Amino acid sequence: VCFVSACAPADRNPQIAATIQELLAGARPAPLDEQAWQEAQRFYKERAHVPAWVQDGKPLKAVDALRVLRTAPDHGLAESDYDIDDIATVLASEDEWEESIGALAQLDLRITTALLALGHDIAIGRVNPAQLDPRWKKTRKPPDFAGLLAVAATQDLNAWLPSVQPRHPEYAALQKALAALRAQHADDERIRLLAMNLERWRWMPDDFGSRHILVNIPAFHLAARENGRAVLDMKVVVGEVEAERR
């Protein structure tokens, strides 16, 4: 007969949390940008560095997190940019990491930084539009990445990416069109163009103002909106003005 205190497995969460804290106090991983690293530090600080995706050596939420990460292509983004295959490989090698405090801490942190990096790119884009055109002034205000991920981690992780993505219906429409093209096994060029347009919508502010004009260049269509309703819809000619002949 053994006593309960002697037979019960030790709670490894405090050790994992301490190791996560040590990792976050160290150097930022080279592939990760500074903003995602700072968001990861804040995410864990607000939860006292308790692991979010592994608990007592079990990947309780890690599998769900990996499933969310694999939706990157739904937004026109590549899985390879978020370390997804490597994370999947680590999860599949359970015998190699489940008994290691350091490996558990690294896995938890790796998943968090991947989710934050993907959320960042979906929210405001992978490219800063001002680098392409210095005249670009209006951009989307970044959401509270660490705070929203914390809510999703405790409530519904599937809500993470919808909580940060652009609010415009045009973004959702492009996602549906992209899914349709993939289902049809369309050529890569059409998929690439849709992905580029999804990126452009990430640069847009959530609020265009009470009065604004939208021009759909491929459809040769202009829509003027005022106070949330369309006041003008018309066909337009789109293109460069030809130089006058001398």
Side-chain angles (χ1 to χ4, degrees), residues 10-134:
D11 181 6
R12 292 188 289 175
N13 282 347
Q15 293 175 283
I16 298 173
T19 306
I20 289 175
Q21 187 173 12
E22 291 176 4
L23 291 171
L24 289 168
R28 168 173 57 90
L32 195 68
D33 65 43
E34 182 62 30
Q35 181 174 1
W37 187 238
Q38 291 177 359
E39 293 291 344
Q41 291 173 323
R42 187 162 71 88
F43 172 81
Y44 281 107
K45 183 178 180 181
E46 292 178 358
R47 56 185 293 117
H49 299 94
V50 172
W53 321 111
V54 297
Q55 296 287 327
D56 293 328
K58 301 298 180 182
L60 298 182
K61 294 184 178 180
V63 175
D64 292 337
L66 182 62
R67 189 178 301 114
V68 170
L69 287 169
R70 289 208 181 277
T71 65
D74 296 347
H75 296 266
L77 299 170
E79 290 188 17
S80 57
D81 289 326
Y82 306 99
D83 213 17
I84 294 173
D85 286 341
D86 286 345
I87 291 173
T89 300
V90 172
L91 279 175
S93 306
E94 185 173 349
D95 292 341
E96 298 180 11
W97 56 262
E98 66 176 351
E99 297 301 327
S100 169
I101 296 297
L104 288 168
Q106 289 177 350
L107 175 61
D108 204 88
L109 180 55
R110 201 171 184 181
I111 291 172
T112 297
T113 54
L115 287 168
L116 286 168
L118 178 58
H120 174 277
D121 291 347
I122 287 174
I124 59 177
R126 286 181 59 81
V127 178
N128 182 350
Q131 294 177 345
L132 302 177
D133 186 345

